[in-house]
Every structure is written in C-alpha cells, then in structure tokens.
Amino acid sequence: MLAGTPIEKAIHVSHSPSPTAHTFQVDLRGLVDLLSHHLYSSPRVYLRELLQNAVDAITARQALQPGAPARITVTTGDSLTVTDTGVGLSEADVHTFLATIGRSSKRAAAGELEAARGDFIGQFGIGLLACFVVADEITVLSRHAAVPGAPAVEWRGRSDGSYTIRTLPADAMPEPGTRVTLTPRADGGEWTQPDRVTSLARHYGSLLRHEVVVVDPRGGTTRINDTPPWERRHGSPLARREALAEHCRTTFGFTPLDTIDLDLPVAGLRGVAYVLPTAVNPSERAGHRVHLKGMLLSDQASELLPEWAFFVRCVVDVSSLRPTASREALYEDETLAAVRDALGARIRDWLTELAASDPALLQRFIDSHHLAVKALARYDDDLLRMLLPWLPFETTDGNVTLEEFARTHPTVLVTRSVDEFRQVAPIAAAAGLGVVNGGYTYDRDLVHRLPEIRPGTTVTDLDPATVTAHLDPVDSAAELAAAAFLAVAREVVGTYDCDVVLRAFQPVTAPALLLDNREARHERTRAGLAEGTDGLWADILGSLRTEAPRAQLVLNHLNPLVRRAATVIERGLAVTTAEALYGQALLLTRRPLKASESALLNRAFIGLLTHAMHDQDTPAPGPDAKEQ
C-alpha cells in the first residue's frame, strides 16, 4: 500500500493519540444582525436591557449590603448613559462576563451572587449585545462594591468584536456601581433622542421598584416609575376605583366596566383585570401587560388568561414565570398553565360574586359579553346553574332569557342552525310553538342543559315534521279544486328536490313556507357533487347516498295569493306562479341564494310581467327555458 493514500491517512488519524481542541469563533456583527432581525422585535429593547442589567446589579448589591442605595439614572444627550448603584464589576468579572458572549454573572455556579439569583430579571447573558443594535461602541465603567477602595475598571467594546480593558483610579467612579455609555450610530439616533428615551423608559420601567430617573440635556429630571396603582393607599374604595379606572384609561384607552383584583402569592403575581365595557370579537388576541419583577415583559401576552376570558385586559407583575430568550413573551410551561388556570378561576369567582351582590352590573356585563359567559357556563356547572337564567337567546318570543321563555313553553324546541330557525320562526310563533335558535355558538348545547337547572322543562331538537304537524289540513274540496295547480307546482319544484303540500296556517300574510332540514341539504349537496364528477370520486359520493327526506314547500291556503294561484289553469302561468311562490319562500329563509335560485326568481318575475302585459306573442318561459 502506498504511503499517503486515503486509507493510510484515515488509519493514521484514527490512531492519533489525542484530538486537538479548538474554540468557536464568533462574528459579532453577524450575531448583532441576528439579534436585531430575529430575536428582538425592535431596536427599542436596548434600553430595556440596560435597565434590566441595572436592576439586577442593584438586587445583587442589596443581597450583599442590605440598605445599599438603589437608584438608576438615564442621561440623554449626544451619547446615552445609564448609571446604577449596583454591585459593580471587578477586573476579573469584566474579563469573564463582558468579554464572553452568552455568559451571565446571574448564572454563576457559585459565589456571593448565587443566593440572589432568583430575584434577577435576566438569565441569558446576551443583554448587553442588544446595545450594538443602535451603537457601534459601548463603554462600561464599573467599580465593585464588595471590596472597599476597589479600583474602577473600564471596558470599551466595539461592534467589530474588538474590546479594550484598563484599570482606573477609584475616584474615576466615586461610588460603587456601573455606568454604561452608548455612542449611537447615525441610523440609531432616533432611539436615543431624549423624548424617545423618556417614553421607552416609562414603557418598560413604570413598575420597577427602584428609583429610575431620566436626565435631559438641560439637566431636567423625570421620574418614570411609581408604586403600582393596585398597591397604593387610597382614602376610600371609591377613590381606589377611580384611580384604577384612570390607570386603565391611560394604559388601554377605555373606562372599565369593573375591576378585578388579581393576587396569587404562590406565583408572586399581583395586578388587576379590567372588564371591557363593550363587546369584542372573541377571536381578537387580547393584549395583556405582563411585568416580570417590575420590568415590562410583554404588552401582548395573550397566553396569560384562558381563551374564554377575552372580555378583560390585564396588567400584572409576576416573579415566578419564565421569559423567552428575547424576554418579550412568556415561556409556555407548567407554571404558566397553573397561573392561567388560577387567574381563570379568579375571574369566574368575580362573576359569582357579581351575581350575588350586584345583579344590575351583572346584567350590564351580560348585555355586552353574553358570548363569553356562554363559553364559560358550558364547562362550569356552578356558573351554568347561576348564570343560565340570565343569558339571552333568540327565540320565537324575541330575545329573552331561558328562564322567562321556559315559563311560557314547558316544551322547548331548539334548531340546529340559524337557517332552520329563520324558516320556521314566523309559523312556529303563530302556532304557539316555543323555538330557540340553536345555530349560534354554544347556544344549542346550553339549551339542552336547561332541564338540569329547571326540572319539568323538556328540550328537544326541532324537526320540520313537528312544524308540519301543527299546520291545519285543508278540506278535501279545496284540495281537489287546487289539484291541477298542485300537480304543475310539484313538477316545477320537484326539480329542486322539493315536495309541495297545501295547508292552512297563521300568519295569513305568509304565502308559503319552505321546510328543509340539514340531512336533506347534505344529500342534495352530495348528489350535486356526484353529478359533476366521474370516476372513483363519483363512486365514493354515490356510496354515501342516503334516503334523507325531501324539502317541503308548504302553501298557505289562507293566503289570498295562494288561493288565487290555485285557480290558475293555463300551464305557462301556473309554471311561473309556482316558481314565484318557491322563490318567495326561499327569500323568507334569509339564506344566501345560489345562482340557479336567483335565476329562478328573475325568470318568475319576467314571466309574471309578460302575462300581466298580455303579450301573447312572447310565451311565458317554462322550467326548461334557458337562463339569461
């Protein structure tokens, strides 16, 4: 075997006594680009990261020196400086933490800071990199608080990955702590303008426990944080409600219907939930504001509450939930799930208390948010018994509560769809039948549970045959007199898979009623699809054929129009009249018309106009006429 062949080389490598260790090389510019475009939602997070590091440094110092000053100062101008009275960094700390990407002093394996780690906001060790999103150079001047007379250390880092470190006399930093200075790039200048910095500081740090002030170029100071409104002392319950309502207006832009205190000591969570005064789309994502140890984590934390609680907006401060790496959302874990369930239970308890103490406010709430209450009552037996009598439903008696409706109708009929309700509502109301529209979200399931809280009430699904049974038959003489017209009508309407019957019912103003159930519609849809396909798909659709009952066009013999139509002998006019009656019944269902049904209505009106004008030269179009 020749020396240097691939096999020989492979053997030589495999028998190498020890592998050579290498260190990953990091392209800092590429990493900053990754942070700015993929991890963080906006360059504005740079200030949050600076505030967060300052808070954590103060927390660490107070763990070592209880009673140490706790102050953060943000100074604006040509450059931006954030100064804290925290624990500071030694020269060794600077080498270890600032020069090593991804390493955090808050994840130290051991040392004096470990005991306070649970009080830190940040845990990922990449916060300072966010500043490179707006600046090409970062200067950190720090003096450690644990060593009296410790020198100051200056770290100067650049976005190209280079940095310098030098030791300065202690008087370069008179007090222990850290000062971070940013020199903004031209394209990052907007984020370091004094007004923008003040706005961002208030946005992220309004609930921080340590004093935070912003100093403008003229020396003016602005305190940007304060005690959370739910923790302040107020002169009276009314004053507290007014203060919270003002906080809601400032934060969310609406005056709340009511305020729910949120307090979960186990999770370290406190805050408020504001009840929206008007209805909202249930699918709209709720924007809850979540602060982590005082620092704003997200103002769009929809995962904080159960989906059914879309009628509230929350502001909370929590210590036990985990943030994602970007610290702009909550990490989905068992703790978050438990907090979500506990907050849902608190909102449910508020509803229970409201029903017992303030029925008027409960009614105002239900008027706006009955859909949310229905969603909750569907899965909560206690709330079902308490709130179902208050909930409005669309019925043949109008929009009334089930309690009121059941007093008049011991047997409650409920439809499966809105279309079915619209078909039968006028006739059922005239016949004295009690029908509830079960086509809306949650309604049918809730109506079927009515007997659980109101014994003696019977609830059944509405069948078109039930309505037909309550329509009076006509006498045999009238049926015989209309036989010729009914035969033509059955031939015309039969092409739409529909039968024709003659009955007498109220109201007299309704000439015809179209009774159609879901099974019949499904069968017609299946048949239409089968006719338009071939091969295997047609065979599959054909195998699904069922003997579903056909729809029924019920003509009202009490209506003058139907009585007159029954006397029509001339076939062309009888065809047009039958189409017109069928089309009118379709319109009464208030469902969207198909193209063929719209064409039928147009054809019927044209035919009636033709006959009315006595245009004998233009025969009335028959059922086989081509659609225009």
Side-chain angles (χ1 to χ4, degrees):
M1 182 178 295
L2 296 176
T5 64
I7 294 178
E8 184 178 356
K9 291 179 179 178
I11 293 173
H12 174 74
V13 170
S14 65
H15 288 285
S16 179
S18 61
T20 302
H22 299 279
T23 302
F24 282 104
Q25 300 299 311
V26 177
D27 179 356
L28 187 58
R29 288 189 183 275
L31 185 57
V32 170
D33 181 72
L34 178 67
L35 292 176
S36 61
H37 291 93
H38 300 283
L39 183 63
Y40 296 126
S41 62
S42 166
R44 66 179 183 171
V45 299
Y46 84 92
L47 187 60
R48 182 199 64 192
E49 297 295 335
L50 290 175
L51 291 175
Q52 178 176 289
N53 287 342
V55 170
D56 288 340
I58 292 173
T59 301
R61 183 177 180 183
Q62 290 185 331
L64 297 174
Q65 303 172 354
R71 185 176 63 258
I72 302 170
T73 304
V74 182
T75 306
T76 60
D78 294 335
S79 61
L80 182 136
T81 301
V82 177
T83 306
D84 66 67
T85 58
V87 70
L89 297 170
S90 66
E91 184 174 353
D93 292 335
V94 170
H95 281 287
T96 302
F97 301 120
L98 296 187
T100 305
I101 294 172
R103 181 175 295 176
S104 171
S105 62
K106 288 154 279 191
R107 290 207 303 267
E112 67 273 14
L113 302 184
E114 182 65 16
R117 177 184 164 190
D119 294 327
F120 294 141
I121 301 173
Q123 299 285 333
F124 296 94
I126 58 176
L128 195 61
L129 285 179
C131 298
F132 283 120
V133 174
V134 298
D136 278 332
E137 185 175 278
I138 303 172
T139 301
V140 178
L141 182 64
S142 188
R143 180 181 162 197
H144 205 287
V147 181
V153 181
E154 180 191 77
W155 177 90
R156 190 181 298 269
R158 286 169 287 274
S159 59
D160 60 4
S162 63
Y163 66 92
T164 60
I165 298 177
R166 61 175 180 158
T167 302
L168 301 175
D171 58 5
M173 189 79 177
E175 296 292 333
T178 301
R179 180 185 304 139
V180 181
T181 302
L182 306 184
T183 303
R185 294 195 308 271
D187 61 350
E190 65 169 302
W191 301 105
T192 58
Q193 293 297 316
D195 290 344
R196 176 63 66 89
V197 170
T198 302
S199 175
L200 291 178
R202 184 174 286 114
H203 176 73
Y204 286 116
S206 61
L207 298 187
L208 288 175
R209 298 301 191 264
H210 309 313
E211 179 185 358
V212 183
V213 297
V214 176
V215 181
D216 62 37
R218 292 174 295 182
T221 61
T222 303
R223 173 82 183 253
I224 62 97
N225 62 325
D226 200 354
T227 305
W230 53 86
E231 294 182 4
R232 298 175 199 159
R233 288 193 170 189
H234 301 279
S236 66
L238 177 61
R240 185 176 190 273
R241 283 198 299 271
E242 287 297 328
L244 290 175
E246 180 58 31
H247 177 255
C248 180
R249 284 190 289 268
T250 302
T251 305
F252 295 114
F254 66 85
T255 301
L257 183 67
D258 200 8
T259 300
I260 308 170
D261 282 299
L262 304 177
D263 190 3
L264 301 177
V266 175
L269 182 147
R270 290 201 66 184
V272 290
Y274 296 115
V275 183
L276 289 160
T278 56
V280 294
N281 188 339
S283 62
E284 180 182 336
R285 290 179 62 85
H288 306 301
R289 293 178 63 89
V290 177
H291 295 255
L292 182 62
K293 303 180 182 74
M295 183 70 70
L296 179 68
L297 181 71
S298 173
D299 56 4
Q300 296 295 323
S302 59
E303 66 273 21
L304 183 67
L305 293 183
E307 290 185 1
W308 55 260
F310 55 80
F311 53 87
V312 299
R313 296 292 180 267
C314 294
V315 181
V316 299
D317 188 20
V318 62
S319 61
S320 65
L321 297 180
R322 293 173 56 194
T324 59
S326 67
R327 290 187 286 277
E328 295 182 291
L330 294 171
Y331 185 83
E332 187 68 47
D333 58 10
E334 293 180 357
T335 303
L336 177 58
V339 167
R340 182 164 50 237
D341 291 342
L343 293 179
R346 175 65 191 98
I347 294 173
R348 193 201 74 167
D349 291 343
W350 169 77
L351 283 170
T352 304
E353 297 163 5
L354 209 59
S357 62
D358 198 340
L361 182 57
L362 176 64
Q363 188 61 61
R364 288 169 56 197
F365 168 76
I366 289 177
D367 289 343
S368 298
H369 302 294
H370 57 271
L371 185 59
V373 179
K374 288 178 179 179
L376 180 57
R378 189 177 176 217
Y379 300 105
D380 191 307
D381 291 342
D382 293 336
L383 279 181
L384 178 75
R385 296 186 183 91
M386 178 180 61
L387 297 178
L388 187 58
W390 292 80
L391 297 177
F393 290 81
E394 185 179 3
T395 74
T396 46
D397 290 353
N399 284 324
V400 298
T401 64
L402 285 185
E403 178 72 21
E404 181 181 350
F405 191 70
R407 291 197 202 105
T408 310
H409 305 283
T411 298
V412 177
L413 303 172
V414 58
T415 64
R416 291 183 176 88
S417 69
V418 175
D419 287 344
E420 288 179 358
F421 178 80
R422 289 172 176 173
Q423 289 171 13
V424 305
I427 312 305
L433 297 176
V435 183
V436 178
N437 187 351
Y440 296 117
T441 306
Y442 311 125
D443 283 14
R444 181 167 172 267
D445 291 342
L446 290 174
V447 174
H448 273 287
R449 298 193 64 182
L450 181 60
E452 298 177 24
I453 63 172
R454 188 180 175 86
T457 303
T458 302
V459 177
T460 59
D461 285 328
L462 177 69
D463 188 289
T466 305
V467 179
T468 306
H470 283 77
L471 305 181
D472 297 329
V474 299
D475 59 65
S476 55
E479 185 90 28
L480 184 61
F485 174 75
L486 292 176
V488 174
R490 291 188 178 105
E491 177 185 344
V492 172
V493 180
T495 60
Y496 300 96
D497 199 22
C498 183
D499 292 329
V500 179
V501 295
L502 186 64
R503 294 289 186 271
F505 55 86
Q506 296 292 333
V508 175
T509 54
L513 169 66
L514 183 61
L515 294 178
D516 194 8
N517 60 24
R518 184 169 51 179
E519 290 77 12
R521 290 195 298 272
H522 285 178
E523 174 57 21
R524 288 197 301 275
T525 301
R526 182 211 60 79
L529 291 173
E531 290 177 0
T533 58
D534 53 15
L536 177 62
W537 184 237
D539 293 338
I540 293 174
L541 289 172
S543 68
L544 298 176
R545 181 177 180 180
T546 62
E547 295 299 328
R550 287 157 60 103
Q552 279 191 335
L553 177 65
V554 184
L555 302 180
N556 186 4
H557 186 61
L558 300 180
N559 182 268
L561 174 60
V562 174
R563 282 173 171 264
R564 185 67 178 270
T567 64
V568 175
I569 299 176
E570 195 271 316
R571 177 176 174 79
L573 182 57
V575 168
T576 301
T577 304
E579 288 182 334
L581 289 171
Y582 180 69
Q584 188 172 11
L586 282 172
L587 292 175
L588 290 175
T589 65
R590 292 189 289 178
R591 64 173 173 79
L593 298 180
K594 300 177 182 178
S596 59
E597 294 169 343
S598 295
L600 175 143
L601 279 170
N602 291 334
R603 188 170 61 242
F605 282 120
I606 292 173
L608 290 174
L609 284 173
T610 300
H611 281 282
M613 296 170 65
H614 303 289
D615 188 353
Q616 301 299 327
D617 295 333
T618 305
D624 298 327
K626 293 183 179 180
E627 298 173 5
Q628 300 300 319

